[in-house]
Amino acid sequence: MERKRNDEEQAAKYRLHYFRRNDVPALTESELEEESARIYQSLMEGHAIQPVKSSRLWYSGAAAAAVGLIVAGLFYFNEVPVSKPTGVQVVYSNDIAPGKLGATLTLANGKKIDLSAAANGLIAEQEGVSISKTSDGKLVYTIKDSKSTNQEFNTLSTVNGQQYEVILPDGSKIWLNAASTITYPANFAKLNKRKVELNGEAYFEVAKDKSRPFVVRTDRQEVEVLGTHFNVNSYGNEDAIKTTLLEGSVRVSDSKSQKVLLPGQQSLLTDDALSISKADVDEAVAWKNGDFIFKDEAFNTILRQIARWYNVEISDSKDRPDLRLSGTISKSKNLSTVLKALEVTGEIKFKIEGKRVTVLE
């Protein structure tokens, strides 16, 4: 009996340790220790865990992270037996490191530059602009001749397991997520509109220029702004194109209609229609800020995010339309850490074989 009790305590302490973050400025160490102790006591007593209410996002998120991911709508944590720490003690035969900064720049003349291997400093020159790579992994365009009229288009692309930032010649900043591509003019000097084309996901901080609107085109929609912060998720294997506005205003249009977004709103373009709803901004831009944030997220959607960041193939023989999860995990963790967090729900297990991940249950 005593051994069983010790096993339960070790499992609970493992969860508390494994999912605590050490880089959260909004929560003091004493507050985190107090919250962890409360969660640990609830685990030992088999009580449902009710996170402390707080206006700070991370404080409520700390509870979810400390106990792993909660199966939203299906289970409360006290229904996952502490005496059966499902998945926590699984040992993977191999592990996979998280993604990193990296991308390929394709110049107008067709030359390709691997930014992961390129030295810092000047990497290319085009008419009217110079292109440099900074020591912290940014691609920066600098105007040399504002009178240049030659229109050259460059393409920045990432594969699974990569993301990158580019600063365009007008000062606009773009963060490109994994498995994404953006094509843009190398020089905006003589353009009436600053048009870029996106396939995948990117976060934009657009420099204000009332005389030249900034336009983001995907395969099925167009977003037009003057100067604002927003995120566009347009992956081809997702069910919808999501545009989330953080600051300013944007006009989103498709072939049938157009709508104006206000800060804190999100447009959703499906096969049927373009709609607007309240956005969870933190969840929408979590990828850029170094986290996975899932809030009542469909299991299959979570798997696709994980596959893109860790550059793996994930196969699941079962259809799980009712399995939805919530929680926060740092993207800096190895793949096994993320999978163990999902396994804590008791619903699923994983097996890693090379670059292939299989859902076992």
Side-chain angles (χ1 to χ4, degrees):
M1 185 69 180
E2 184 63 26
R3 182 175 180 179
K4 180 181 178 182
R5 175 74 174 183
N6 289 338
D7 288 343
E8 292 175 356
E9 292 180 355
Q10 288 304 315
K13 288 177 180 177
Y14 177 95
R15 294 181 182 122
L16 291 173
H17 170 74
Y18 222 97
F19 301 105
R20 280 179 51 182
R21 291 179 49 176
N22 56 13
D23 59 346
V24 185
L27 194 65
T28 67
E29 184 64 24
S30 61
E31 289 174 348
L32 184 55
E33 291 294 345
E34 180 182 350
E35 181 70 353
S36 295
R38 187 183 64 80
I39 296 169
Y40 173 71
Q41 186 63 33
S42 295
L43 285 171
M44 291 297 96
E45 296 175 359
H47 294 164
I49 295 174
Q50 300 297 328
V52 175
K53 292 182 179 180
S54 171
S55 60
R56 292 179 293 183
L57 171 67
W58 171 253
Y59 201 76
S60 60
V67 299
L69 298 179
I70 300 171
V71 186
L74 293 178
F75 294 90
Y76 296 100
F77 191 84
N78 65 327
E79 294 180 284
V80 180
V82 176
S83 59
K84 183 185 177 183
T86 306
V88 170
Q89 296 174 344
V90 169
V91 178
Y92 294 96
S93 59
N94 64 293
D95 205 350
I96 295 175
K100 56 186 178 181
L101 291 177
T104 298
L105 173 65
T106 303
L107 301 176
N109 62 8
K111 179 182 178 181
K112 294 182 181 293
I113 301 174
D114 181 355
L115 297 177
S116 301
N120 298 333
L122 183 67
I123 60 172
E125 289 187 294
Q126 294 176 285
E127 185 173 341
V129 296
S130 60
I131 308 171
S132 302
K133 176 188 172 184
T134 66
S135 58
D136 57 347
K138 295 184 182 71
L139 192 65
V140 180
Y141 283 74
T142 303
I143 296 175
K144 296 189 304 179
D145 180 8
S146 61
K147 296 181 181 180
S148 174
T149 59
N150 189 30
Q151 293 306 312
E152 297 182 306
F153 288 83
N154 293 347
T155 298
L156 185 67
S157 58
T158 58
V159 296
N160 286 341
Q162 291 183 328
Q163 65 182 55
Y164 215 79
E165 179 184 351
V166 57
I167 301 177
L168 298 181
D170 67 334
S172 295
K173 298 178 181 179
I174 303 173
W175 285 259
L176 195 63
N177 203 354
S180 301
T181 299
I182 189 162
T183 299
Y184 50 89
N187 194 335
F188 291 128
K190 298 300 179 180
L191 298 178
N192 294 325
K193 286 188 177 183
R194 298 169 288 170
K195 285 187 178 182
V196 303
E197 294 188 3
L198 172 67
N199 181 9
E201 184 169 24
Y203 175 79
F204 298 83
E205 290 186 358
V206 176
K208 289 180 171 59
D209 186 342
K210 292 183 179 179
S211 64
R212 293 183 298 176
F214 194 99
V215 178
V216 180
R217 298 187 63 182
T218 69
D219 62 337
R220 293 194 291 132
Q221 76 168 28
E222 187 171 282
V223 181
E224 183 173 336
V225 304
L226 296 177
T228 187
H229 299 181
F230 61 101
N231 191 84
V232 178
N233 183 325
S234 65
Y235 287 112
N237 61 350
E238 299 295 348
D239 296 332
I241 297 178
K242 297 178 181 178
T243 303
T244 308
L245 183 64
L246 285 76
E247 178 184 304
S249 65
V250 301
R251 181 169 62 243
V252 181
S253 57
D254 66 350
S255 60
K256 300 177 182 178
S257 62
Q258 64 178 28
K259 296 183 182 296
V260 175
L261 294 184
L262 300 177
Q265 291 184 331
Q266 180 181 83
S267 68
L268 196 69
L269 176 59
T270 63
D271 291 335
D272 299 324
L274 178 66
S275 61
I276 293 180
S277 62
K278 183 178 179 181
D280 189 318
V281 171
D282 297 287
E283 183 179 10
V285 300
W287 69 268
K288 168 187 168 288
N289 297 329
D291 287 321
F292 293 111
I293 296 181
F294 307 129
K295 297 184 180 179
D296 194 32
E297 190 67 76
F299 181 61
N300 287 338
T301 301
I302 292 173
L303 293 186
R304 287 193 290 270
Q305 291 187 44
I306 293 171
R308 282 192 287 264
W309 183 234
Y310 291 94
N311 189 22
V312 294
E313 178 185 349
I314 303 179
S315 61
D316 185 0
S317 61
K318 290 186 178 180
D319 185 22
R320 308 171 197 268
D322 296 326
L323 181 56
R324 308 185 72 87
L325 307 176
S326 298
T328 299
I329 310 173
S330 172
K331 288 175 62 182
S332 66
K333 303 295 185 182
N334 282 354
L335 176 60
S336 64
T337 302
V338 178
L339 300 185
K340 286 172 182 175
L342 297 174
E343 287 181 342
V344 166
T345 64
E347 281 289 287
I348 44 184
K349 291 183 181 179
F350 295 91
K351 179 171 67 173
I352 303 176
E353 296 175 301
K355 301 291 285 185
R356 183 180 179 84
V357 177
T358 304
V359 185
L360 299 178
E361 294 185 7

